[in-house]
Amino acid sequence: MLTAVRKPNHAPRIDNRIARFRYTFLDTYECGISLVGTEIKSVREGKMNLRDGYARVTDGELWLHNVHISVHAASSAFFNHDETRPRRLLLHKRDIRKLASRQQDSGLTMVPVAAYFNAGGWLKVSVALARGKDMADKREVLKKREDDREMGRVLKNTVRI
């Protein structure tokens, strides 16, 4: 009897660390993404940049804009893709309608937080409904981070009896 053996997933996880600094996340959604063959090969090699990306609802569909996926080096120019083309995100219609209404009503934005491969080998993009931080919020986060580091140093250097 033959059984299917699943290979371990060694594909990289691509994070948008700048988004965590610029925005406060309210809700997070896991979406599928529609890609062409050379795009998925490039993502498996870790050549994806989410930094300037955003998502927008257009005609009842969720689209990911301004995300850079490098061309695949081993493919000819004929088969390669446009690096920053809009890509369709796959999400349930009710979730898309909810995102569209919340985004229009309260001036929120949708930013990609991470891209990763799930256990089944499918590429998933985590999209967050977010509110932009002002400068005071950013300073507060930096101050809290520095205080936590200082507290860790003090606790590490304290002699325990």
Side-chain angles (χ1 to χ4, degrees), residues 132-149:
K133 290 182 183 178
D134 59 354
M135 199 54 160
D137 291 340
K138 292 177 187 178
R139 284 190 207 116
E140 184 178 313
V141 168
L142 291 174
K143 183 169 175 32
K144 183 180 182 312
R145 188 180 307 151
E146 185 60 36
D147 290 344
D148 290 345
R149 283 187 192 143

Side-chain angles (χ1 to χ4, degrees), residues 70-112:
S70 298
V71 294
H72 191 252
S75 299
S76 69
F78 179 76
F79 291 108
N80 266 321
H81 57 276
D82 181 22
E83 294 175 339
T84 57
R85 74 176 181 88
R87 293 164 178 93
R88 186 168 170 235
L89 292 176
L90 309 172
L91 195 63
H92 292 287
K93 285 284 185 187
R94 67 179 177 273
D95 292 332
I96 293 174
R97 283 194 297 267
K98 184 167 60 169
L99 280 171
S101 67
R102 287 191 65 190
Q103 185 180 18
Q104 287 175 354
D105 292 344
S106 54
L108 303 175
T109 186
M110 290 179 278
V111 292

